[in-house]
Amino acid sequence: MAATRLMVSTTNIGTSSSLLFKAAASPFFKPRHFSLCFNNTSKLVSKKRSFTCSALYRPDFQIKEEGTPETLDYRVFFVDNSGKKISPWHDIPLHVGDGTFNFIVEIPKESSAKMEVATDEIFTPIKQDTKKGKLRYYPYNINWNYGLLPQTWEDPSFANPDVDGAFGDNDPVDVVEIGQSRGNIGQLMKVKPLGCLAMIDEGELDWKIVAISLDDPKASLVNDIDDVEKHFPGTLTAIRDWFRDYKIPDGKPANNFGLGNKAANKAYALKVITETNESWANLVKRSTPAGELSLV
């Protein structure tokens, strides 16, 4: 297939039968030409149209690919019903409700291509990361679905006092989803957080939220960090070791972890999510300088 052709991906993004799914309503969702609401305490109102924080807005959208996988021009875009591109970082709601969240798969489990949301490109599509003009791959497969929480941001100007004053890495918050099913690039999963690791990557704080898909057969059995070891024995150690060591084959030092080198519990993970959602809100309100980040 020609690299310039736009096509609908065969990626499963929520059900096995359709590319379409309905995103959950959220007071944090920022549809184009609508108001933007934060915790029901403040809002930005579009000049074209406004709505209240309690209004329901459930957009349908599709995954579309441009270019050829494993090339520099490959992009995975999100497109709404009208054919307009939307941002998976800014336009997909964070909150599903009842303590659950939307999670977007960037890197499916048992794969090694380092895919990520392009935070500096318009509509922030998913692309393969590069270094010195070459596509990046992990030295070995990642063993879990890996991706981001939309509408979160690790502020690089914030020195976190809980983690030796480390500054945020300027990206959305990462999720390590431990369920048994292999996701697809761009797939949206509803997940519940179970805990988190405070990874320090070359001096930057890079949170890893440990979560599980609500569709996983063991989802009802795991509700906090202690349940992970009980029902997924060895998983937390494996996650920590994987992220500690994955840069070593490239000649870089091992990553470090804050919080006593241990996974924090669910309550702490929810605290991280809340704080980084607030940082994202300040970013899109332009209360915080965006630098080269795309807010579209």
Side-chain angles (χ1 to χ4, degrees), residues 51-80:
F51 76 130
T52 66
C53 291
S54 60
L56 296 180
Y57 186 76
R58 293 189 171 97
D60 293 332
F61 55 91
Q62 297 175 324
I63 296 298
K64 288 190 176 181
E65 298 176 279
E66 287 186 18
T68 302
E70 298 189 78
T71 64
L72 293 174
D73 64 345
Y74 179 65
R75 299 291 185 274
V76 177
F77 284 97
F78 287 59
V79 182
D80 70 14

Side-chain angles (χ1 to χ4, degrees), residues 78-226:
F78 287 59
V79 182
D80 70 14
N81 267 352
S82 69
K84 292 180 60 178
K85 291 176 179 176
I86 62 174
S87 166
W89 181 18
H90 301 308
D91 293 328
I92 303 301
L94 169 62
H95 291 266
V96 176
D98 296 327
T100 60
F101 300 88
N102 281 322
F103 156 61
I104 299 168
V105 178
E106 294 169 300
I107 305 173
K109 67 187 300 183
E110 306 306 335
S111 65
S112 64
K114 193 175 185 304
M115 309 300 294
E116 63 180 15
V117 163
T119 58
D120 59 348
E121 296 184 13
I122 189 169
F123 300 119
T124 64
I126 297 174
K127 69 171 186 178
Q128 189 166 349
D129 191 22
T130 60
K131 183 176 182 179
K132 296 181 179 179
K134 295 183 178 181
L135 297 171
R136 291 186 65 188
Y137 294 86
Y138 291 126
Y140 30 73
N141 285 352
I142 190 166
N143 307 124
W144 313 274
N145 294 308
Y146 185 55
L148 75 143
L149 288 177
Q151 299 185 344
T152 61
W153 180 57
E154 299 187 46
D155 186 349
S157 70
F158 174 64
N160 194 305
D162 292 350
V163 193
D164 300 324
F167 292 89
D169 72 348
N170 203 33
D171 283 325
V173 171
D174 296 326
V175 171
V176 183
E177 192 278 317
I178 64 174
Q180 68 179 23
S181 297
R182 183 181 189 272
N184 296 291
I185 297 173
Q187 180 175 345
L188 184 142
M189 294 184 181
K190 296 177 181 179
V191 300
K192 59 179 175 181
L194 305 170
C196 64
L197 288 159
M199 191 178 91
I200 309 297
D201 183 354
E202 298 182 19
E204 295 180 335
L205 178 55
D206 187 2
W207 290 108
K208 308 298 179 188
I209 303 293
V210 179
I212 189 167
S213 169
L214 297 186
D215 293 329
D216 191 82
K218 292 186 178 180
S220 63
L221 302 177
V222 285
N223 295 290
D224 213 322
I225 200 68
D226 292 338

